[in-house]
DNA sequence: TTGATTGTTCTCTAAAAGTTCTCTACTCTA
DNA sequence: TAGAGTAGAGAACTTTTAGAGAACAATCAA
């Protein structure tokens, strides 16, 4: 349990970091709290650290960090587990964080927004984002961004026929696969991820 | 985490490159920052480079480059535009970066992996991740994580009937909505996003 | 090729910050 | 009222940082 002054100091440190992007010095804390002695401030900071409210980087100035700071700028979400109809939420063993950056972001990837319903059967809807890894070849079954005749871009499942013709298959039972001569099709990337944002 | 002076130097370099089309020399940075020693400026530039804010071309003068934005915040992806069957990729005006962290990550959110096909009609498939914002109430039409009788968790569309009963609607034409007395249902959060990772 | 300019590495120094310690004043309790 | 405990002041010390500047290497242009 924090004392009243410890609480005030923690508040001040929070505000300072929010405003300056880095921790305050002991002297600055002292000035704000009207404590003239660095030593006293140091004792408070140590108390807050031992109580787990702060993290303190030894060595170096402005080494005060908020204990939960890592959650602030990161792309990780706590992972609650699996959910299924008729069962309680089930934990996923050996994994308790989902890191979006690690999962989706890489040098040679980019995002596209999907228009239309041509991939609706595999859960890619109008307005969804897809994450594409740039490359110029694909394997059968990959979902690719293909440029046809150097002008029409499209997201389709890729298949190479025995005779070398290229089949681009929409994942929508209402639409039909299209077949092209290989020189008409240029692969621009393959699908690595899909995401959707609900308002 | 950049210190205040590192921040100022980065700003100056940005401005200089914008204005002159090439990076400044160490002496020019020093003059702008009122630092007389090249060595000191060099140390700052190295610090900025190691922190990923700058790229430094060895060999040659004025070898300072701004780092790729995508490397700086590894949660952003370049945005190529919209893709639709039968049309070239169309640029999205006023937006050229997609920030996953900003879009999906927040304090009171967590991720769940979906099992089963009960939401397949709105593109949420078996194995997908959903991002849930914790809250204990919902509006009609929201998709919620609901705990039934304190034991079964489920992802369904929420509807409150005029008589106070709660309807949980699966988005799968093969499944039927279920109706519960309000005291049997506890809302654990509402759906904010969905994502899928292709191997 | 040459010389001026620029970048790199190093040491030195002073200032600033962190750490540890003691001393004193105050409050609380028996 | 005496002793224990607590909080602030501040001195003494160590560590870290920032700037200066020297020495040297690399680069570019004439």
């Amino acid at each position: 349990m924090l004392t009243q002054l410890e609480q005030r100091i923690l508040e001040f440190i929070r505000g300072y970091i929010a405003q300056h992007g880095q921790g305050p010095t002991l002297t600055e804390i002292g000035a704000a709290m009207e404590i003239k002695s660095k030593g006293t401030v140091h004792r408070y900071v140590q108390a807050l650290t031992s109580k787990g409210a702060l993290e303190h980087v030894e060595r170096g100035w402005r080494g005060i960090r908020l204990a939960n700071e890592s959650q602030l700028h990161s792309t990780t979400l706590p992972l609650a587990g699996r959910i299924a109809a008729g069962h309680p939420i089930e934990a996923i063993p050996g994994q308790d964080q989902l890191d979006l950056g690690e999962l989706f972001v890489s040098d040679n990837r980019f995002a596209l927004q999907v228009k239309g319903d041509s991939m609706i059967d595999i859960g890619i809807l109008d307005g969804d984002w897809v994450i594409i890894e740039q490359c110029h070849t694909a394997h059968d079954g990959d979902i690719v961004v293909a440029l046809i005749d150097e002008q029409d871009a499209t997201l389709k499942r890729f298949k190479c026929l025995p005779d070398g013709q290229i089949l681009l298959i929409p994942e929508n039972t209402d639409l039909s696969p299209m077949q092209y001569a290989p020189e008409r099709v240029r692969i621009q990337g393959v699908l690595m991820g899909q995401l959707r944002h609900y308002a």
Side-chain angles (χ1 to χ4, degrees), chain A:
Chain A
M1 187 62 98
L2 302 183
T3 70
Q4 208 165 337
L5 186 49
E6 284 173 345
Q7 196 73 49
R8 276 182 59 216
I9 291 176
L10 185 57
E11 289 293 310
F12 171 76
I13 292 173
R14 277 223 183 86
Y16 192 102
I17 290 179
Q19 202 174 344
H20 298 84
Q22 57 184 348
T25 64
L26 293 184
T27 314
E28 286 167 336
I29 298 173
M33 295 299 119
E34 292 176 344
I35 296 172
K36 288 171 194 159
S37 162
K38 283 193 295 182
T40 305
V41 176
H42 183 251
R43 199 179 334 158
Y44 278 112
V45 169
Q46 278 199 321
L48 283 165
T49 305
S50 76
K51 287 176 182 179
L54 291 179
E55 269 174 17
H56 201 176
V57 180
E58 295 298 320
R59 325 224 146 235
W61 300 350
R62 300 180 183 275
I64 294 171
R65 305 268 181 279
L66 294 179
N68 55 356
E69 193 211 9
S70 57
Q71 293 181 351
L72 242 160
H73 294 83
S74 89
T75 58
T76 59
L77 284 163
L79 199 52
R82 293 199 183 92
I83 187 173
H87 297 282
I89 291 177
E90 168 195 341
I92 298 178
Q95 199 182 4
D96 57 355
Q97 292 279 327
L98 186 68
D99 189 324
L100 301 186
E102 192 183 348
L103 215 51
F104 289 117
V105 181
S106 176
D107 263 0
N108 54 342
R109 295 185 182 180
F110 61 94
L112 281 174
Q113 192 174 29
V114 173
K115 285 184 76 171
D117 292 335
S118 70
M119 304 302 279
I120 203 169
D121 288 349
I122 55 167
I124 298 175
L125 312 187
D126 187 34
D128 283 4
W129 302 98
V130 289
I131 290 154
I132 306 296
E133 183 158 300
Q134 279 185 292
C135 62
H136 299 100
T137 58
H139 302 103
D140 280 6
D142 285 353
I143 293 166
V144 301
V145 173
L147 191 65
I148 298 161
D149 297 333
E150 301 295 326
Q151 58 175 1
D152 291 346
T154 178
L155 185 71
K156 294 284 184 304
R157 191 178 293 277
F158 174 89
K159 186 170 168 59
C160 188
L161 297 176
D163 61 0
Q165 294 282 96
I166 286 171
L167 204 59
L168 296 178
I169 310 163
E171 291 286 348
N172 182 336
T173 44
D174 296 340
L175 304 175
S176 305
M178 300 283 283
Q179 189 171 326
Y180 298 94
E183 61 272 16
R184 293 183 60 196
V185 177
R186 210 172 70 205
I187 306 294
Q188 300 200 293
V190 302
L191 178 70
M192 297 306 294
Q194 172 271 149
L195 41 95
R196 188 182 306 140
H197 186 245
Y198 294 85

